[in-house]
Amino acid sequence: MPSFIKSCFSTKDWMNDDKREICFIGRSNVGKSSLINALANAKIAKTSNTPGRTQLANFYDFEKFRLIDLPGYGFAKVSKSKHYELSKIISEYIYLRNNLFAVFQIVDITVVTDLDVQMSELLSKRFNNHYIVLNKADKESKSYFDNNISKISAKFKKQKEDFIFVSAKNKTNITQLKNLISVSYTHLRAHETGR
């Protein structure tokens, strides 16, 4: 059963082991916590209508791997010092965490911003396993996704296969997201064992 482990402010708070991790990263209020709850099929992450409530790196146990929910970028109304703190938490985890094997960038399909594209470019340079999860599919039809995926993939300069269309609210394609995470993990283990 997936469960919340703890919130971490700095590198000294991280677990010191070799368990593999994925992370969720996205703008404030894109529904990362709701998506975690949908994946867990239980309320293990606190949700809020107020953008920017995640202000630490939250660690969750999903048995085979851990899922880390990073603070939202494009920070909500916070002070300069808090902005620096949140940026530091994100940067340290992305650049220093050796356990990390795949990054899932959560994007609001109804509001794709330049900041999302910039973050995608940064992540793509560092990670082969970088996927874009277009959340809030309940607000757009499947035909909208089908008709616009070429435009969206061109904007992000990524392949269509690197996107998945989901709704945390309606649990649309949550099983497919679980499968994508599982495939990424399986490929990693196969690579590590030389198979």
Side-chain angles (χ1 to χ4, degrees):
M1 177 74 179
S3 60
F4 171 74
I5 304 171
K6 66 175 181 175
S7 297
C8 299
F9 177 72
S10 67
T11 56
K12 65 180 173 54
D13 300 323
W14 297 345
M15 271 71 76
N16 186 21
D17 60 20
D18 59 0
K19 189 165 186 175
R20 291 303 186 176
E21 296 172 352
I22 66 169
C23 79
F24 277 7
I25 185 168
R27 282 185 297 110
S28 300
N29 207 33
V30 295
K32 291 187 285 98
S33 297
S34 296
L35 202 52
I36 290 167
N37 291 336
L39 282 171
N41 200 29
K43 191 165 185 181
I44 61 173
K46 292 180 181 177
T47 58
S48 171
N49 290 326
T50 305
R53 288 301 296 272
T54 301
Q55 298 195 350
L56 296 167
N58 293 319
F59 283 59
Y60 299 88
D61 182 18
F62 274 75
E63 297 181 11
K64 285 186 178 180
F65 61 89
R66 280 190 293 262
L67 189 157
I68 286 66
D69 182 20
L70 295 174
Y73 56 82
F75 310 109
K77 298 173 183 176
V78 295
S79 64
K80 280 189 176 180
S81 60
K82 177 57 73 173
H83 187 287
Y84 172 77
E85 283 179 9
L86 297 176
S87 297
K88 186 170 181 285
I89 290 169
I90 293 171
S91 297
E92 285 185 341
Y93 183 81
I94 290 295
Y95 286 102
L96 301 179
R97 188 59 166 166
N98 293 327
N99 303 54
L100 180 60
F101 73 89
V103 175
F104 290 81
Q105 184 180 359
I106 318 302
V107 174
D108 183 341
I109 192 169
T110 66
V111 191
V112 178
T113 70
D114 290 341
L115 198 55
D116 291 319
V117 175
Q118 290 165 16
M119 180 59 74
S120 173
E121 289 172 352
L122 185 152
L123 294 171
S124 293
K125 287 175 184 175
R126 181 158 178 79
F127 300 100
N128 290 326
N129 293 331
H130 166 224
Y131 306 97
I132 296 180
V133 181
L134 298 169
N135 192 24
K136 304 192 178 182
D138 49 286
K139 296 187 177 181
E140 295 288 358
S141 65
K142 178 66 165 57
S143 61
Y144 173 89
F145 174 74
D146 292 337
N147 293 336
N148 287 277
I149 186 57
S150 293
K151 189 188 301 181
I152 294 170
S153 60
K155 187 169 187 175
F156 281 96
K157 297 176 184 174
K158 293 185 74 66
Q159 301 299 313
K160 293 178 184 179
E161 296 74 23
D162 293 323
F163 295 85
I164 184 166
F165 180 69
V166 306
S167 168
K169 183 178 179 180
N170 295 344
K171 297 195 174 179
T172 304
N173 290 341
I174 294 302
T175 299
Q176 285 88 332
L177 179 56
K178 287 180 181 178
N179 290 342
L180 185 58
I181 294 170
S182 179
V183 166
S184 298
Y185 179 80
T186 301
H187 285 172
L188 171 81
R189 300 306 294 172
H191 176 74
E192 288 179 338
T193 57
R195 293 178 189 169

